[in-house]
Amino acid sequence: MPCPSVAAASPRPSPPPRGAILRGGDPYRIDGTPFDSAEEAWFWSLQAEDAKAAGARVVAGRGLVQRPCEPADVMRAVDRLYRSRALLRDHLHVLAHYGRRLSAPDPERFREQRAHGLWGEAFDRLTPILRDKGIVR
């Protein structure tokens, strides 16, 4: 028989996503401005990873705008989709190529039409995951 005081207690809120920036007295509150779109989050994380590869030190909370995640969180979400076969290698090539260009493929250009379709598929799968984590509005 459970203890009455334990049974009457309110359930504990779920912990924040891993890698979240926490501030203040509430350990379950995430500070930072969410991205307006998953594309914006992708461009930001790819730029940060490229800067890190070039030798820059990426430190949480040092940017002009506080974000609710770290660049690796977005990369981890893409990696998880790839490992679960929701994204194909072609999706990753398109995300990397156009992400470094900081622009989505143009559907009006004949050579970018297939890439535009892959780009849309990738973000259709990535956006709900980032939204659930509080990274995207």
Side-chain angles (χ1 to χ4, degrees):
M1 181 169 175
C3 177
S5 63
V6 173
S10 63
R12 184 176 175 176
S14 61
R18 187 174 184 190
I21 301 169
L22 303 176
R23 306 238 194 288
D26 184 6
Y28 296 105
R29 192 179 88 226
I30 302 171
D31 283 345
T33 306
F35 293 97
D36 292 329
S37 69
E39 288 182 0
E40 183 183 353
W42 175 249
F43 293 141
W44 172 79
S45 62
L46 197 60
Q47 283 182 306
E49 290 297 320
D50 284 348
K52 189 175 172 182
R57 290 183 12 188
V58 179
V59 179
R62 295 281 187 167
L64 297 175
V65 177
Q66 295 276 330
R67 295 298 182 183
C69 66
E70 296 200 12
D73 296 330
V74 178
M75 297 294 185
R76 202 173 297 118
V78 170
D79 183 55
R80 197 169 298 129
L81 285 170
Y82 175 69
R83 289 176 185 266
S84 67
R85 297 186 177 155
L87 292 181
L88 303 174
R89 192 173 179 92
D90 290 346
H91 291 107
L92 299 185
H93 284 294
V94 168
L95 288 175
H97 177 74
Y98 290 95
R100 286 194 175 89
R101 284 179 38 180
L102 297 178
S103 66
D106 184 2
E108 300 298 319
R109 296 189 67 190
F110 177 74
R111 291 186 153 194
E112 296 183 12
Q113 288 177 351
R114 181 169 183 269
H116 177 73
L118 292 168
W119 180 268
E121 289 174 8
F123 283 104
D124 286 346
R125 294 174 184 140
L126 182 60
T127 301
I129 293 170
L130 297 181
R131 190 171 288 133
D132 289 346
K133 292 179 180 271
I135 296 172
V136 173
R137 290 188 181 131

